[in-house]
Amino acid sequence: MTQTSEAPAPVRDQQPTRSRVRVHRAWFVVAVTFVTIIGAAAFRSLPGLLIDPLHQEFDWSRGTIGAAVSVNLALYGLTAPFAAALMDRFGIRRVVAVALTVIALGSGLTVWMTAAWQLLLCWGLLVGLGSGSMALAFAATVTNRWFTERRGLVSGILTAASASGQLIFLPLLSWMITRYDWRPAAVTVALAALAVVPFVWLLLRDHPADVGLKPYGGQEFVPKPPPVRGAARRAVTVLSSAMRTGPFWLLAGTFAICGASTNGLIQTHFVPAAHDHGMPVTAAASLLAVIGVFDVAGTIASGWFTDRFEPRRLLAVYYALRGVSLLFLPMLLAPTVHPPMIFFIVFYGLDWVATVPPTLALCREQYGDDSAIVFGWVLASHQVGAALVAFLGGVARDVFGSYDVVWYASGALCAAAALMALVIRRRPSAKVAGLVVA
């Protein structure tokens, strides 16, 4: 495929000197990617806020609403590996721009829904497909193409972008729902996704060769590879190969538990669970937003740690601490916010997606050039785990009248994930500290 608008710069610019390039273009690409993920993060802030309003307006059970969220989360993960392959075929800009448009369409159409199947179609199918097309595989692709050094740090920064979006949108959307209705919140999500499209199209570049540069930290100029055809076939082929290795199943299993204990549990059910104990929705949503504040710090720090320490041990520590915190949560929920709850929010925020940089590092160590697609499949397991808990959490609330059993079960799963992380075998030819695969 010929893209004349992105032709490589002349040869004289392909190996620039330090004096001519003070700030590498890769950091500008990271900035655009960061803003893009923030804008798209609006849709991830909404599901937990919709459970009570939709239950009251349409008399849908929490299990039914949770099923729509479950479809969304599952598609978010299952689309990711194909999205990574599509980015190799059509370029990052095109895939992400289309994905944002689909998110806006799905969110905008929900304002006219009158039946549960329409929630499944709009929020489950359309928003799930769109969000999956620019999930963490987007961040992984940008990191792999534009950086040979600082990959752990960049992974942490881009992962934290989603938390930053949560911080921005959660208080705003909860205020809209409380003051007006859930429909203005859905429209806001659609507009936020659309607003980012021009930034992606005008400022993002697919590869360093498009602007005649080496990857950041690279010693040699890397020509832009030709478009890779057969995206779906490649994604399935990579999966088939990875499934024959033990590390894939351990990474997928631990990441499924990660999704179950974050997106599926806290992000979906924390607000309604806190509201069950008498806490106002706006206060609970604000606490969830504060998680996003510390998530940014925790994830960037985790990226820094991943460049310097053994990823397996980092994962084990992260999951163990998360499991312990979940076991204490049922005792902390109350009508008002008190210091122990604030401590939980800070603690959980630091650990929220700190698992992503070391998981990405292990994917690079084990699977090399296919790591972005493999990580896409590992992310699929993350979202399947999230989807199961999003649905089962709603069912548990309908059956038992509280979420306590869900908190305890998730804490036990996190303990299992810590043990699984420790038994992932290290690939002898990998130099993990520098995230380089020999």
Side-chain angles (χ1 to χ4, degrees):
M1 178 180 295
T2 302
Q3 300 182 17
T4 56
S5 62
E6 297 184 6
V11 174
R12 65 177 182 275
D13 292 331
Q14 292 178 347
Q15 299 185 24
T17 62
R18 289 183 178 270
S19 62
R20 295 183 62 188
V21 181
R22 296 181 180 179
V23 179
H24 197 284
R25 179 66 177 265
W27 294 110
F28 293 100
V29 172
V30 168
V32 174
T33 305
F34 189 89
V35 172
T36 302
I37 296 174
I38 285 178
F43 72 88
R44 298 186 63 189
S45 304
L46 195 55
L49 304 178
L50 289 179
I51 292 178
D52 284 337
L54 294 180
H55 174 68
Q56 293 169 7
E57 179 171 339
F58 298 106
D59 199 29
W60 297 337
S61 71
R62 290 176 175 82
T64 297
I65 300 168
V69 178
S70 178
V71 171
N72 176 295
L73 293 172
L75 287 177
Y76 177 92
L78 294 173
T79 305
F82 296 98
L86 286 172
M87 288 177 187
D88 288 340
R89 173 68 177 88
F90 297 106
I92 299 173
R93 289 197 308 166
R94 292 175 177 170
V95 173
V96 173
V98 171
L100 287 167
T101 304
V102 172
I103 289 171
L105 179 64
S107 182
L109 288 176
T110 58
V111 301
W112 291 289
M113 67 182 179
T114 57
W117 68 266
Q118 294 166 346
L119 179 65
L120 287 167
L121 174 64
C122 295
W123 202 261
L125 180 63
L126 292 179
V127 177
L129 288 174
S131 59
S133 297
M134 54 168 300
L136 290 174
F138 173 33
T141 302
V142 169
T143 303
N144 288 348
R145 290 186 181 184
W146 281 89
F147 290 84
T148 57
E149 294 181 357
R150 309 297 185 194
R151 283 178 168 176
L153 176 62
V154 173
S155 298
I157 292 172
L158 295 181
T159 303
S162 182
S164 300
Q166 176 176 290
L167 166 65
I168 293 169
F169 288 105
L170 260 175
L172 174 64
L173 296 177
S174 63
W175 175 80
M176 284 184 174
I177 292 172
T178 303
R179 181 72 180 271
Y180 301 104
D181 188 23
W182 62 268
R183 290 175 177 82
V187 172
T188 300
V189 170
L191 293 177
L194 284 178
V196 180
V197 174
F199 291 94
V200 171
W201 194 254
L202 296 175
L203 301 177
L204 194 62
R205 291 295 178 267
D206 292 333
H207 197 277
D210 290 337
V211 288
L213 294 176
K214 306 172 186 175
Y216 179 85
Q219 299 301 314
E220 298 179 356
F221 177 79
V222 179
K224 184 176 181 177
V228 179
R229 300 183 182 276
R233 183 172 63 253
R234 184 186 176 204
V236 174
T237 301
V238 170
L239 172 64
S240 177
S241 176
M243 287 175 63
R244 299 188 182 98
T245 66
F248 173 80
W249 292 105
L250 291 170
L251 288 168
T254 56
F255 224 39
I257 294 171
C258 178
S261 56
T262 53
N263 300 78
L265 181 64
I266 298 294
Q267 191 168 59
T268 303
H269 295 293
F270 177 80
V271 172
H275 189 54
D276 283 347
H277 287 76
M279 185 180 293
V281 171
T282 52
S286 296
L287 287 176
L288 200 56
V290 172
I291 285 180
V293 177
F294 290 95
D295 184 11
V296 173
T299 308
I300 294 175
S302 178
W304 188 86
F305 290 144
T306 301
D307 286 331
R308 290 160 176 79
F309 300 105
E310 171 59 51
R312 294 155 190 77
R313 294 179 182 176
L314 288 176
L315 284 179
V317 171
Y318 296 157
Y319 284 121
L321 293 176
R322 183 183 300 177
V324 171
S325 66
L326 285 173
L327 294 177
F328 283 97
L329 181 57
M331 295 178 282
L332 304 179
L333 292 170
T336 59
V337 179
H338 46 84
M341 173 57 78
I342 294 175
F343 179 81
F344 170 83
I345 293 298
V346 172
F347 188 89
Y348 208 84
L350 291 171
D351 191 62
W352 182 269
V353 286
T355 55
V356 173
T359 301
L360 264 171
L362 289 171
C363 285
R364 292 192 196 101
E365 172 190 324
Q366 298 287 338
Y367 304 105
D369 292 338
D370 291 330
S371 62
I373 296 177
V374 172
F375 179 73
W377 286 112
V378 172
L379 177 62
S381 71
H382 180 283
Q383 295 307 115
V384 169
L388 287 172
V389 172
F391 171 67
L392 293 176
V395 172
R397 172 61 178 80
D398 290 333
V399 173
F400 299 108
S402 77
Y403 286 99
D404 287 0
V405 66
V406 185
W407 307 130
Y408 295 135
S410 296
L413 285 174
C414 288
L419 295 175
M420 292 167 65
L422 289 174
V423 301
I424 298 174
R425 289 183 296 179
R426 183 172 182 174
R427 187 173 178 178
S429 60
K431 180 184 176 184
V432 180
L435 300 183
V436 176
V437 178

